[in-house]
């Protein structure tokens, strides 16, 4: 059974940093990679960053230069280092796998998200 144990969210001031972790179980990392999504109150679910099994990464424009996605394949864990946080980064953050239906992103179907709150 697929499950994502997401942790690392917190309340920080603008300019601060957080490191999110997502320990995946029920499958092993594969070519379709891992993803981080987020959803702010009143907003839709948005893709933040992706990483594939070869370590190739992709970032949404708002994340470029501030966020870094990484993975530990041996631990089946993906990370999101977030620096220079802004109030607009406030959201619930979820991880997902590329082989799973994207319609379930930002839902608790495979596990809880983690809350990031950035105050000005």
């Amino acid at each position: 059974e697929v499950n994502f144990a997401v942790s690392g969210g917190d309340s920080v001031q603008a300019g601060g940093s957080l490191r999110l972790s997502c320990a995946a179980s029920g499958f092993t990392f594969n070519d379709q990679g891992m993803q981080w999504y987020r959803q702010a109150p009143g907003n839709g679910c948005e893709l933040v960053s992706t990483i594939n099994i070869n370590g190739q990464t992709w970032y949404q424009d708002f994340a470029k230069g501030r966020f870094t996605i990484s993975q530990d394949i041996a631990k089946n864990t993906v990370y999101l280092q977030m620096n220079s946080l802004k109030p607009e980064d406030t959201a619930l953050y979820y991880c997902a796998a590329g082989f799973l239906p994207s319609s379930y992103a930002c839902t608790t179907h495979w596990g809880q998200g983690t809350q990031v709150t950035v105050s000005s």
Side-chain angles (χ1 to χ4, degrees), residues 68-108:
T68 303
I69 190 170
S70 61
Q71 64 190 350
D72 185 331
I73 294 172
K75 294 182 178 180
N76 237 37
T77 299
V78 62
Y79 305 96
L80 186 68
Q81 177 68 42
M82 304 188 296
N83 299 328
S84 302
L85 283 162
K86 304 175 181 180
E88 51 264 44
D89 294 318
T90 295
L92 265 170
Y93 285 72
Y94 299 85
C95 74
F99 71 94
L100 297 171
S102 60
S103 56
Y104 285 102
C106 299
T107 73
T108 57

Side-chain angles (χ1 to χ4, degrees), residues 1-114:
E1 182 179 350
V2 172
N3 185 262
F4 301 113
V6 181
S7 61
D10 205 345
S11 295
V12 297
Q13 291 192 327
S17 298
L18 287 172
R19 188 191 194 209
L20 307 184
S21 297
C22 170
S25 58
F27 70 99
T28 53
F29 285 7
N30 55 51
D31 290 345
Q32 297 188 54
M34 295 294 294
Q35 306 156 332
W36 282 99
Y37 285 86
R38 72 182 188 183
Q39 185 166 26
N43 290 1
C45 183
E46 59 182 347
L47 182 61
V48 177
S49 181
T50 68
I51 187 168
N52 70 13
I53 192 102
N54 297 315
Q56 294 173 313
T57 59
W58 174 91
Y59 297 94
Q60 193 67 267
D61 282 348
F62 63 76
K64 290 178 181 177
R66 299 190 302 126
F67 295 3
T68 303
I69 190 170
S70 61
Q71 64 190 350
D72 185 331
I73 294 172
K75 294 182 178 180
N76 237 37
T77 299
V78 62
Y79 305 96
L80 186 68
Q81 177 68 42
M82 304 188 296
N83 299 328
S84 302
L85 283 162
K86 304 175 181 180
E88 51 264 44
D89 294 318
T90 295
L92 265 170
Y93 285 72
Y94 299 85
C95 74
F99 71 94
L100 297 171
S102 60
S103 56
Y104 285 102
C106 299
T107 73
T108 57
H109 189 77
W110 290 296
Q112 303 293 320
T114 190

